[in-house]
Amino acid sequence: MRFSPGLLLLLPLMSPLAHAELIDDINDRGELRIALEGNTPPYNFKEGDKLTGFEVELGEQLAKEMDVRPSFITTDDADLLPGVATGKYDVAINHIAMTAELKDQFDFSEAYSEKPELAIPFQKGNPAFKASLDKALGRVKADGRLKALAQKWLEGETPVAKAQ
């Protein structure tokens, strides 16, 4: 049997093991798995048994805009980004600066804070998820919710002012 070169390029796409887009997994589950440390006020911390803080409320707003529920998983620094890289978590919302080193390992949302340049990392190669996350973040910025969260939690730190 002869295969044309074009057919060989399609074989990985037809494989049942072909990589599914992250947004499809999230929509199938109906939840966005958000990793954070849960011990860094005012960004994310526990009040009694309840998680709260700027990034917790931001994660809730983003999940709502994406029409899924947020699922917060507290973890430590050693597991946070490796867990995102392996797919254990969908995103990490833990005041992570978008550095050149991390950009080699992860894709990022648009920034949600100007000081320092904070953004949300997720597995590389998920353009539909990036578009969905950035669209959700854009709506949260555009209607003033991000600014209100920053005023509530960050005592005057400036969030990114305009939707991008």
Side-chain angles (χ1 to χ4, degrees), residues 9-142:
L9 294 174
L10 291 175
L11 284 176
L13 298 175
M14 297 186 312
S15 165
L17 300 176
H19 173 70
E21 171 69 58
L22 181 57
I23 192 66
D24 295 332
D25 293 341
I26 291 166
N27 287 332
D28 288 347
R29 281 194 312 269
E31 73 178 5
L32 178 65
R33 298 174 306 182
I34 303 168
L36 45 72
E37 290 182 82
N39 61 3
T40 52
Y43 293 97
N44 58 71
F45 61 100
K46 288 188 176 180
E47 276 185 349
D49 291 338
K50 184 180 181 328
L51 274 172
T52 193
F54 173 75
E55 292 168 329
V56 173
E57 289 191 23
L58 176 60
E60 290 169 344
Q61 292 296 323
L62 293 174
K64 181 180 177 182
E65 287 296 326
M66 296 171 75
D67 200 26
V68 294
R69 68 187 172 278
S71 174
F72 293 99
I73 303 106
T74 55
T75 188
D76 60 25
D77 185 51
D79 182 52
L80 192 71
L81 290 175
V84 171
T86 62
K88 184 176 180 181
Y89 316 120
D90 301 319
V91 297
I93 305 181
N94 201 69
H95 47 282
I96 297 169
M98 191 179 355
T99 64
E101 179 185 339
L102 288 179
K103 283 178 83 171
D104 286 342
Q105 301 170 43
F106 300 94
D107 283 339
F108 280 85
S109 70
E110 295 293 330
Y112 63 84
S113 176
E114 291 177 348
K115 286 198 219 174
E117 190 75 337
L118 300 181
I120 302 168
F122 54 92
Q123 281 184 328
K124 277 195 167 289
N126 289 284
F129 176 72
K130 178 172 177 42
S132 180
L133 181 60
D134 285 346
K135 187 175 180 183
L137 184 56
R139 287 191 298 265
V140 172
K141 289 177 186 178

